[in-house]
Amino acid sequence: EVQLVESGGGLVQPGGSLKLSCAASGFTFSGSAMHWVRQASGKGLEWVGRIRSKANSYATAYAASVKGRFTISRDDSKNTAYLQMNSLKTEDTAVYYCTTSSGWLWGQGTLVTVSS
Amino acid sequence: DIQMTQSPSSLSASVGDRVTITCQASQDISNYLNWYQQKPGKAPKLLIYDASNLETGVPSRFSGSGSGTDFTFTISSLQPEDIATYYCQQYDNPALTFGGGTKVEIK
């Protein structure tokens, strides 16, 4: 089955860390750039960042709002992308989605809540 | 960064009406534009890619047009199942920038 499945969300205190995973199946993950997008409750979609494929040197890019705090990585042997989130702020509370570069496939999302 | 201005932010129309949403990019993005439908609690669903191409399996009442900076999304005959929020998105490397969304309701 062609799908993306996110995991790793949960409740974390401000200043804490969390690592999200995005497991892919049913398509050639290793050749695909992968993006992370988030959505706060009742708000619009916000791009978080992306990682390109090995052929493009695993190049990463980030939104200004998370640069220096979030890191995207991937393990092509496991068909999985990751989002490491450090120094979390309350405003990082959102549902986090992973998606393919062209937007044709999205995961179901995982909720991250940053609160004391 | 490229900004996407989407309008209107909400609209109410009757079943069978023609619905149009516009999206304007802050700079030329060629045809690097997608349109998505999102229902509450669900992930976005791709409807239109490359500004005017209908994604496989999407009903033909959905269409898109435009290039450069000005884009239009149309539902030719609104159906009850089309109640959702619609987003435009540009994919000029490296970022994906989304419009603010249009919430479509039935009058």
Side-chain angles (χ1 to χ4, degrees):
Chain A
E1 182 181 2
V2 178
Q3 62 178 357
L4 295 171
V5 179
E6 300 96 337
S7 60
L11 174 64
V12 60
Q13 292 188 336
S17 298
L18 206 59
K19 187 173 185 177
L20 307 183
S21 299
C22 169
S25 59
F27 67 99
T28 307
F29 176 80
S30 61
S32 302
M34 297 299 297
H35 295 252
W36 287 91
V37 173
R38 67 185 181 183
Q39 186 173 37
S41 181
K43 302 298 185 181
L45 299 163
E46 180 188 16
W47 178 75
V48 172
R50 69 100 167 103
I51 185 166
R52 300 185 76 181
S53 65
K54 181 179 181 180
N56 291 288
S57 305
Y58 298 125
T60 55
Y62 301 92
S65 58
V66 306
K67 195 170 186 178
R69 301 188 298 122
F70 289 12
T71 302
I72 299 173
S73 61
R74 63 191 296 161
D75 185 339
D76 290 343
S77 68
K78 295 182 179 179
N79 286 347
T80 302
Y82 303 97
L83 178 63
Q84 175 69 49
M85 303 183 292
N86 299 329
S87 303
L88 281 161
K89 306 175 181 180
T90 55
E91 52 264 40
D92 295 318
T93 294
V95 174
Y96 284 74
Y97 297 100
C98 61
T99 179
T100 55
S101 197
S102 59
W104 67 276
L105 185 63
W106 291 64
Q108 84 287 354
T110 187
L111 176 63
V112 172
T113 303
V114 185
S115 174
S116 54
Chain B
D1 289 358
I2 299 173
Q3 308 301 318
M4 304 300 293
T5 303
Q6 186 175 340
S7 62
S9 57
S10 66
L11 66 87
S12 181
S14 300
V15 172
D17 281 355
R18 183 180 185 88
V19 169
T20 299
I21 299 169
T22 64
C23 194
Q24 186 172 57
S26 60
Q27 64 189 68
D28 190 336
I29 59 169
S30 185
N31 66 335
Y32 299 138
L33 187 98
N34 289 339
W35 289 97
Y36 295 91
Q37 176 191 70
Q38 187 180 34
K39 296 184 177 181
K42 300 295 186 181
K45 174 186 175 184
L46 180 65
L47 300 180
I48 303 289
Y49 64 94
D50 293 347
S52 60
N53 293 298
L54 193 67
E55 177 72 347
T56 302
V58 173
S60 58
R61 64 180 181 273
F62 297 100
S63 65
S65 65
S67 66
T69 61
D70 295 301
F71 302 88
T72 301
F73 172 80
T74 301
I75 307 173
S76 61
S77 177
L78 186 67
Q79 300 301 304
E81 60 266 32
D82 299 337
I83 300 313
T85 300
Y86 293 83
Y87 293 93
C88 63
Q89 173 220 62
Q90 67 81 22
Y91 46 97
D92 186 46
N93 196 41
L96 308 177
T97 314
F98 296 88
T102 298
K103 187 174 184 178
V104 174
E105 299 176 322
I106 294 288
K107 191 181 294 182

